[in-house]
Structure formats: C-alpha cells, structure tokens
Amino acid sequence: MSAEADRGFRPLDEESLVAYIRAMPALASRLGGSLDSITIKEVGDGNLNFVYIVLSDAGAIVVKQALPYVRCVGDSWPMTRERAYFEASALRELGRLCPDHVPEVYHFDRAMSLIGMHYIEPPHIILRKGLIAGVEYPLLAEHMSDYMAKTLFFTSMIYNSTTDHKRGVALYSANVEMCRLTEQVVFSDPYRVSKFNRWTSPHLDKDAEAVREDDALKLEVAELKSMFIERAQALIHGDLHTGSIMVTIDSTQVIDPEFGFYGPMGFDIGAFLGNLILAYFAQDGHADQANDRIAYKKWILKTIEESWNLFHKKFVELWNKHKEGNGEAYLPNIYNNPELLSLAQKKYMTNLFHDSLGFGAAKMIRRIVGIAHVEDLESIQDASKRAQCERGALNCAKTILKGRRQFENIEQVIVHIQSFGQD
C-alpha cells in the first residue's frame, strides 16, 4: 500500500463514522439523507475487522473497516489493510455472478479500507448460530450449491479465455498476506508446535500430539498446501465457512470474502462441507432432555449430501450450456463428441470431489487443534463433553483427509461420518 494511502487512514468509531457518512453521498443517500436520528451498533465479532450496522428511519447500511492488525490477537500480529480492497472487489464480482446470494456494495474507500454495503436485515442470522440453535434451513443446499456452481464455473477456464483468466489471477495474486495467513493456520501450525495453537486441554493433549506426529497426514497436507498455493482454478471466497453465511428459512447470503483469490475450487466447497460436518459432531454437546438432536443431525447429513450432489449437477449443466463458448480449458473442436466430453467431465468432477474432501478435512482439523475454533464446539460448556465431540470430528477428518480418494460419492462420506460413534 502506498504511503499516501496509509496517511489517509484512521480507524473510525461510532462518532466519527457519522461524520464520514455525512461526507459520502453514496452512503448518506441510503439512509434517506437525514442523519439526525441514526443508530450505530458495532457487531464485529470476527477475528479481523470493525463492522458497524447503521440504521435510520429511512434506510440501513453496513460499514466494514479493516484494521492494520489481526483484531483477535492485537497489534503484535500486523495485517494488511489491503484485504478490504480484495473483499470489495470479490463482493462485486461474486455478486455480479450470483446476485441472489451476495450483498451489494454501495461504496468503497481504499485509503480508509472501508466498505459500505447492503444491510442483511433481521431475521437473518449467521448460519453457524442457527446450526447451534438446531434450526433447519430447507433451502440451504439449494442456495449454496447455486452460489458455488455459478461463482466457481464462471471464473474458471472452462468458461473464460486464457486472457481473461490471467487478468483475474493477476489482480487477486496481490492478496498474498491473506493467502499466507491461510497457509499458516490451516496447512502448517496444526502439524507443528506453535504458540498460536490451542485445544481442549488436557483432554485432547494426546490427540493434538498425534496430529503433529502423523507423517502420513503431513504428506497429504503438503499436497493440499501446494494445491492451495499453486492452483489458480477459479475465484474462490477463501473463507466459506458457516460464519460467512447469513440465513433465514428462505434466504442465504454469503459475506466476508476478504480471503478471495484465484485458488482451488475444492477449498470453498470443502470449507462449507467441513463446517457442516463440525456442526454435526457438535450436536451431541447441545442435546438435552427436551431435544436429543438426533433428527437434526440427520438433517445436517442430508444437507451435506444435497449440497454436493446439487453442486455437481448445476456445475455440469453450466458446462454443457457453455461448451461452445470462449472457455479454453476444454476447446469445443477437441471435446466435440458427447462421450469424450462426458468422460472429461466425470474425471474433472471426481478430482474436484476428492479435493473438496481433503480441504474440508484440513479445515476441520485446524478448528480443533489450531488457533481459531468454531462456536459450534466452543459453546459446549462441559469440557469433557466438548472434547468427546471434538475427538470424533478430529478422527473423522484425519481419516477423510488420508483416504479421500477412496470415496466415490458423497453418500459413502455420510456413512463414514456416521461411523464415528455419534449415532
């Protein structure tokens, strides 16, 4: 970031935010122009940013500002504010491709690392909180498969020319600090002694040690890390867990793509599926006499199954629809008979399925023995019970990661998940 841009930055609080909005017509107009009766609430419970909900009698917006450090650690861990630029860029691009499931950006200020965007109003809540509460979302698989199929297909070389694809890769390749953060916390720290790692101790001390001493696991993780770093397959969200999705019974909105870059498609798919699997394993810790959560666990498994199967179906449908287009990965004058194209698609989707399982499993492992955990498990008050749920999830993830190529379909994965003493 330039020194000039750095000089223009100041972190806003509730009072200075009002003055900022007054000076920005793109934001003030969304609040009806009159700022005399607005209310501001800081809701940034994430690890990195300030997030403000700004409400007036005439409208509402969300303002998000990136800080120059990791918020949950403090200024001892510096972090580029340029992530706000990539988040705004990704929101606009993903929103163009899938407007039904991505909030609109109204305003972006690069010097201030500030985004003003559509307010996703109540009763929307973070999906993770809904999963903890045991709420069923009947359209979740439909909506998320739609989002993943469109955003991943239309930013891949199955659809785009090499020139367009490389242009996108070049733009997002500068989001290097966020990628490096993922490399560290997902693919490195859980497999070594790191001051940032934590787990439910002493219950999982031996489990954490076992991860650090599992050579077969390390070899598989090395392969996934290389793919994450080297494979510019499509524009990915980069952090597509259940805390980056807001939901109601009939609406699904994807937020927070500040980790966005051109990477392996399976990283997004795996993040979503892996976090649903974590939610599944957490249910026994939230069960009580009023609700044993057994039916809800079946709903989560059904959602995992449907999410992959619907994604697969929609992605291949998009491929068939655009097979005569500008995409340079599978040129139409080469893959010009249905049998050959079908074989190419089958091989591509099988590889993508295995990638998704591997990345999903890696994301599960880091949430149990790495720096940032998930509320699904953290909110289980009884440490012994929490550790029991975490151990089931950890052992499931390790076996999926090491054996991912043996799964031929998502139904086999569901059976495997159920085998870990949770039913």
Side-chain angles (χ1 to χ4, degrees), residues 234-307:
L235 175 60
I236 65 171
H237 178 286
D239 200 28
L240 194 60
H241 55 72
T242 52
S244 297
I245 302 164
M246 296 192 72
V247 287
T248 65
I249 297 300
D250 52 14
S251 169
T252 306
Q253 299 290 310
V254 175
I255 60 172
D256 296 348
E258 62 197 332
F259 286 82
F261 79 112
Y262 274 71
M265 296 179 184
F267 192 76
D268 269 8
I269 302 163
F272 178 60
L273 298 181
N275 274 263
L276 288 178
I277 299 170
L278 286 175
Y280 169 85
F281 279 100
Q283 293 306 312
D284 281 3
H286 298 296
D288 54 34
Q289 286 186 321
N291 185 352
D292 60 17
R293 298 284 181 120
I294 290 173
Y296 192 62
K297 282 161 59 175
K298 287 180 179 167
W299 175 81
I300 293 176
L301 294 177
K302 178 167 161 280
T303 300
I304 293 167
E305 184 179 333
E306 289 180 354
S307 293

Side-chain angles (χ1 to χ4, degrees), residues 251-370:
S251 169
T252 306
Q253 299 290 310
V254 175
I255 60 172
D256 296 348
E258 62 197 332
F259 286 82
F261 79 112
Y262 274 71
M265 296 179 184
F267 192 76
D268 269 8
I269 302 163
F272 178 60
L273 298 181
N275 274 263
L276 288 178
I277 299 170
L278 286 175
Y280 169 85
F281 279 100
Q283 293 306 312
D284 281 3
H286 298 296
D288 54 34
Q289 286 186 321
N291 185 352
D292 60 17
R293 298 284 181 120
I294 290 173
Y296 192 62
K297 282 161 59 175
K298 287 180 179 167
W299 175 81
I300 293 176
L301 294 177
K302 178 167 161 280
T303 300
I304 293 167
E305 184 179 333
E306 289 180 354
S307 293
W308 170 260
N309 285 338
L310 285 168
F311 165 79
H312 184 292
K313 175 174 174 285
K314 291 172 183 181
F315 192 93
V316 173
E317 283 173 353
L318 287 170
W319 189 337
N320 288 331
K321 182 179 178 182
H322 297 282
K323 64 185 178 186
E324 304 290 339
N326 297 321
E328 294 198 49
Y330 294 87
L331 295 168
N333 59 1
I334 297 176
Y335 301 88
N336 54 5
N337 76 68
E339 293 79 13
L340 177 59
L341 182 62
S342 179
L343 283 171
Q345 289 172 336
K346 185 176 181 184
K347 185 173 185 181
Y348 190 99
M349 298 308 288
T350 298
N351 288 337
L352 180 51
F353 179 55
H354 293 154
D355 293 350
S356 301
L357 293 179
F359 285 122
K363 297 277 272 182
M364 290 172 66
I365 292 168
R366 64 76 52 116
R367 293 294 194 176
I368 297 166
V369 297

